[in-house]
Amino acid sequence: MSITTGPATTRTPASVNEPTRRVPVLWLALLATPVAAANNAAVLILGDMSRSLGITKATASWLVTVFALTLAVATPLIATLVRRRGTRAALWTSAAFVVAGTALVAVSPWLPLTLVGRAGQAAGGAGMMAIAMNLAGTARRMGVISAGSGILGGVGPLLGERLTDVVSWRAALSILIITLLAVPAVSRHTTKAPPTTEGHFDARGAVLLAILSSGIVLLPSNPLPALAVAAVTAALLALHIRRRPHGYVPLAALRSRLFRGSVLIAVALSVLYFTLLFGIPQLITDRADWSTGSVAVGQMTAMIAGSMLTLAFAAVSARLGQSTVRALLLAVGALAAAAAIFAHSAIVLFLAIGLAVFTATGANATQSMAAASAVPERQRPTAIGLFQLAYLMGGALGPALATMLILS
């Protein structure tokens, strides 16, 4: 299936197995957007976390990497849960992960246990995002969610810094708890799913995809071992997909040019955005000699402006057509990268992160709907989950690339 008039014309069902009433988009935004704030809250407080736990900044950055990687890997798992058990079961399971993970982060005195808590938070946050996207249904409603995520993501670093100053860094890493406010309202709009007729869960496919994702994320820091793991796992996963074409990674999605194109654009622009998110503050400090507080305010303003632009872009994307939408996103992304590489003006560097967040959230809003339309209806939750896995890989790769290219 392909889109000829643009992604906003495509609708995806809330779930393939259950009827649902249309959920007001603001509840979906409240469900999903705190994840971005929780992910970005650590950008400016790595030093505080490292001092509190008695570790180096590089080690403390694992609190960011583990959150982002778990967020990515757990998203298709939750999408599978939606398909097999329904939205309501996935929603309350995700809420339980958020509560348990936040409790660990709040009280754990050791890094390993804190990492477990961050992973639990991320697993719950992945569910909230996957469910919100699955219930969105159109690129315009996805635009609201994506723009909201961009805005909260922009506020996240400054909010994390302020909460750390006033309370502690643990409070900054507990922002995700806000998502629970939307759970009862969203749950009321869903119904219990009927018993599934699907076969056994494709555990082998899920494990292989998780290992492949981890190998890709570790490429910047451990290139040779990570490349070997990724190559071997990719080969094993390809063989597994041939044997089980309707499993965890549907063959129909991989064979679709529309799906592959949407995923590649999302990965590229997401990696760019998250690299600049962590790198721009250091670039501005080095090139323009701004204070940390001023950089945080400037970056937040630029990211909010870029996110608001996504709202307008998603609304008109249907009239532009798929090829034009993709060309615009890639052109603006290239402009953002060039500005970050060559500019020495703080204003231009802020423009770079504003453009980067626009391209990433714009791709998330428009290309996710395109990806969903590329597969049979019953596999659409899975397609959205795999798309989000690809998009969120940027959240795990970006900090590592920023550390290697800019922060080291």
Side-chain angles (χ1 to χ4, degrees), residues 7-405:
T9 61
T10 303
R11 294 178 179 270
T12 58
S15 172
V16 294
N17 290 326
E18 57 179 318
T20 61
R21 292 170 287 169
R22 194 170 181 85
V23 184
V25 70
L26 292 181
W27 283 121
L28 297 181
L30 180 59
L31 192 71
T33 56
V35 180
N39 187 44
N40 295 354
V43 170
L44 299 175
I45 61 172
L46 288 176
D48 298 272
M49 294 189 297
S50 64
R51 286 189 295 271
S52 175
L53 294 169
I55 55 178
T56 66
K57 269 190 178 183
T59 305
S61 68
W62 277 101
L63 289 166
V64 178
T65 302
V66 165
F67 186 93
L69 179 58
T70 305
L71 194 67
V73 171
T75 298
L77 283 170
I78 295 294
T80 300
L81 182 61
V82 169
R83 194 183 76 226
R84 297 173 67 91
R85 294 291 182 264
T87 303
R88 182 174 292 178
L91 181 65
W92 288 103
T93 300
S94 300
F97 273 111
V98 170
V99 171
T102 302
L104 279 178
V105 169
V107 302
S108 169
W110 307 293
L111 176 64
L113 193 57
T114 308
L115 288 172
V116 172
R118 285 294 274 172
Q121 286 181 316
M128 301 308 186
M129 291 183 63
I131 290 164
M133 291 185 65
N134 202 41
L135 294 173
T138 67
R140 180 171 296 187
R141 281 162 59 89
M142 264 303 306
V144 174
I145 297 170
S146 295
S149 294
I151 291 170
L152 265 291
V155 172
L158 186 60
L159 181 59
E161 184 189 46
R162 294 293 181 260
L163 282 173
T164 300
D165 289 342
V166 175
V167 187
S168 75
W169 61 268
R170 297 180 188 277
L173 297 188
S174 299
I175 295 172
L176 184 59
I177 205 76
I178 297 171
T179 188
L180 299 179
L181 296 174
V183 170
V186 175
S187 181
R188 284 196 300 270
H189 285 81
T190 65
T191 59
K192 187 177 180 181
T196 180
T197 58
E198 293 189 22
H200 295 298
F201 172 64
D202 183 12
R204 183 177 298 177
V207 170
L208 288 172
L209 183 61
I211 295 173
L212 176 60
S213 302
S214 302
I216 293 172
V217 168
L218 293 174
L219 277 172
S221 56
N222 300 277
L224 290 180
L227 182 61
V229 169
V232 171
T233 308
L236 292 174
L237 182 59
L239 292 173
H240 176 73
I241 292 171
R242 283 183 174 273
R243 289 194 297 265
R244 192 161 178 179
H246 303 293
Y248 191 72
V249 182
L251 185 59
L254 299 182
R255 283 179 171 171
S256 168
R257 291 180 60 187
L258 179 60
F259 182 87
R260 294 197 305 270
S262 299
V263 165
L264 289 174
I265 289 173
V267 169
L269 296 178
S270 176
V271 169
L272 171 66
Y273 161 52
F274 283 103
T275 302
L276 295 189
L277 173 68
F278 283 82
I280 286 293
Q282 186 64 50
L283 290 177
I284 293 176
T285 299
D286 293 343
R287 298 177 186 177
D289 198 26
W290 282 38
S291 67
T292 300
S294 299
V295 170
V297 173
Q299 179 162 294
M300 178 187 70
T301 303
M303 290 176 66
I304 290 175
S307 301
M308 294 303 294
L309 186 58
T310 296
L311 282 173
F313 182 70
V316 303
S317 60
R319 295 194 293 272
L320 296 177
Q322 188 63 247
S323 297
T324 303
V325 165
R326 290 180 170 182
L328 283 172
L329 289 172
L330 291 174
V332 175
L335 181 62
I341 293 170
F342 298 111
H344 287 266
S345 163
I347 301 301
V348 178
L349 290 170
F350 284 136
L351 177 64
I353 187 60
L355 294 177
V357 72
F358 160 69
T359 59
T361 55
N364 195 24
T366 60
Q367 301 309 301
S368 60
M369 296 295 98
S373 72
V375 298
E377 183 173 312
R378 69 182 184 83
Q379 293 179 332
R380 287 181 180 178
T382 301
I384 290 177
L386 293 175
F387 175 89
Q388 275 296 289
L389 165 65
Y391 177 81
L392 292 169
M393 289 291 288
L397 279 168
L401 289 173
T403 299
M404 182 177 67
L405 300 174

